[in-house]
Amino acid sequence: MAQILVNGEPQTVEFPLTVTELIQLNKVYQPEMVSVQVNEEFADREDWDKLQLKEGDAVDFLYFMGGGAHD
Amino acid sequence: MIDLTEEQIERYSRHILLQDVGLEGQEKIMNARVLVIGAGGLGAPVSLYLAAAGVGTIGVVDADVVDLSNLQRQVIHFTADVGKPKVESAKEKILAINPDVKVNTYYKFFASDNALDIIRDYDFIIDGTDNFPVKFLINDACVMAGKPFSHGGILRFTGQTFTHLPGTACYRCMFKEPPPPGAVPTCSQAGVLGAIAGMLGTIQAAEALKYIIGIGNLLTDRLLTFDAKTMNFRTVKVRRNEHCPVCGTSPTVTQLIDYEQAACDLKH
């Protein structure tokens, strides 16, 4: 068991853990609408399957948001 | 330099009283030109506050007419405006608040063939649109033209915004390309609490004014997100991405793109 930060909140996880697995673990709604940063570096979607997280990593999920006006 | 009249000094007295603004800052505001793309949920509060602040020229771009379902959050449009072009309705309210403002209206879609022409004359751009094709277009056009802009997005009870200046992280640094059209919920599909549009729009207006006056720290290289259900605000540091398709070291987006709009997004 180890700790990482997910969207600024501590989360206890078990390694090995890839970004894809973390997304599943957090039941992220519509992963195609999410962009992922690991330790303030953007992780390419194509790399999520093989990108292994480490103890203390800070992961941020950024969501696409529309809103405003139809222009 | 503008010589403020007695009436203007009174009108803007609460700005002038601020040490960081003063007469000098107010003059900067009165000389500024801001473009608001989308006269909807975000564009409404942005335009109202910029007009009240005395921004010299406000451009408003929107190809839509006011719909009854807009009034729940688009506070610049009134019941009697239903059916009227949003840019006309917005212009009337802007001038009613502050007749000193010059308003330019663009009753058209913001698209790849007019984007650079329209933004050329403005100092700061507000993204108040709700669809991803135009959000990407605004980002790319501003990056290419070296224009600062404020990005804004709202959904259900949440909002997010950041400010781009030339050289800082852009929208594509965070989101490489638009999501697949079918996956995209917009306000019209997912719903939004009307007041969220006001919360986010006033942040965008404050960023524009800060930029114009040259004070404080802008939301550059930071993405502000909030959830109104918990009233938790969070600022995520974002770094300019060297692999960014438009502002990275070897850009692949070198021309403006009109991405396809999901058919379901075109309805109200």
Side-chain angles (χ1 to χ4, degrees):
Chain A
M1 300 289 256
Q3 279 220 332
I4 58 170
L5 282 177
V6 178
N7 295 334
E9 301 284 335
Q11 188 173 328
T12 305
V13 293
E14 277 183 59
F15 294 127
L17 183 70
T18 64
V19 170
T20 301
E21 287 161 348
L22 183 69
I23 286 173
Q24 288 160 358
L25 202 63
N26 282 276
K27 299 190 173 64
V28 170
Y29 178 66
Q30 289 188 312
E32 66 274 23
M33 298 289 287
V34 171
S35 182
V36 177
Q37 262 200 143
V38 180
N39 301 327
E40 296 177 17
E41 297 273 0
F42 284 95
D44 277 343
R45 192 170 298 271
E46 304 83 66
D47 299 337
W48 290 358
D49 279 341
K50 51 179 195 281
L51 185 58
Q52 295 287 343
L53 296 169
K54 308 180 303 294
E55 168 107 49
D57 276 351
V59 182
D60 288 297
F61 296 130
L62 309 182
Y63 292 85
F64 267 116
M65 265 181 224
H70 288 284
D71 169 64
Chain B
M1 288 289 279
I2 304 173
D3 282 322
L4 271 72
T5 62
E6 290 282 321
E7 195 187 310
Q8 285 170 329
I9 288 172
E10 189 179 347
R11 177 187 281 268
Y12 303 119
S13 58
R14 300 306 189 276
H15 272 168
I16 295 165
L17 279 170
L18 286 168
Q19 212 170 22
D20 283 337
V21 183
L23 266 177
E24 199 186 330
Q26 186 58 43
E27 282 176 2
K28 285 182 186 166
I29 296 172
M30 292 164 76
N31 281 319
R33 305 169 60 89
V34 180
L35 180 70
V36 181
I37 304 174
L42 303 176
V46 171
S47 303
L48 292 172
Y49 274 98
L50 294 182
V55 168
T57 304
I58 300 176
V60 187
V61 188
D62 204 306
D64 220 345
V65 296
V66 179
D67 185 82
L68 188 59
S69 67
N70 300 150
L71 303 184
Q72 164 259 15
R73 64 195 179 284
Q74 302 179 15
V75 293
I76 203 165
H77 310 301
F78 300 169
T79 305
D81 297 318
V82 170
K84 191 184 284 182
K86 286 187 177 177
V87 291
E88 286 308 316
S89 165
K91 181 179 181 175
E92 287 168 16
K93 310 318 182 318
I94 290 171
L95 293 176
I97 291 174
N98 193 341
D100 289 347
V101 178
K102 180 172 184 288
V103 185
N104 299 327
T105 57
Y106 305 86
Y107 185 35
K108 56 178 80 166
F109 288 103
F110 190 76
S112 66
D113 59 0
N114 62 23
L116 291 170
D117 271 346
I118 295 176
I119 66 173
R120 180 178 300 136
D121 292 335
Y122 294 91
D123 306 317
F124 193 92
I125 321 295
I126 302 280
D127 171 4
T129 64
D130 88 334
N131 67 85
F132 297 99
V134 183
K135 287 191 179 300
F136 277 85
L137 180 63
I138 292 170
N139 180 75
D140 295 351
C142 287
V143 168
M144 287 175 192
K147 296 281 185 185
F149 73 95
S150 166
H151 167 90
I154 48 175
L155 190 66
R156 300 187 183 95
F157 295 89
T158 59
Q160 71 181 20
T161 177
F162 74 91
T163 300
H164 169 80
L165 297 187
T168 68
C170 81
Y171 192 44
R172 277 195 199 267
C173 289
M174 303 172 217
F175 302 99
K176 266 188 167 172
E177 55 188 12
V184 182
T186 63
C187 285
S188 52
Q189 295 158 16
V192 64
L193 189 72
I196 306 294
M199 290 173 67
L200 207 279
T202 49
I203 293 172
Q204 291 186 284
E207 286 287 286
L209 292 169
K210 279 163 59 185
Y211 172 78
I212 291 164
I213 303 162
I215 51 167
N217 301 317
L218 295 166
L219 270 174
T220 47
D221 295 324
R222 294 184 289 158
L223 180 72
L224 172 69
T225 63
F226 65 82
D227 179 348
K229 273 195 192 164
T230 56
M231 277 302 169
N232 284 331
F233 282 64
R234 180 158 186 260
T235 311
V236 183
K237 272 195 199 167
V238 286
R239 229 184 276 165
R240 190 169 168 191
N241 185 344
E242 62 176 34
H243 304 298
C244 173
V246 70
C247 78
T249 42
S250 39
T252 50
V253 176
T254 52
Q255 282 187 341
L256 296 180
I257 304 165
D258 290 307
Y259 286 103
E260 214 170 304
Q261 177 86 315
C264 52
D265 283 350
L266 294 171
K267 299 187 305 241
H268 288 287

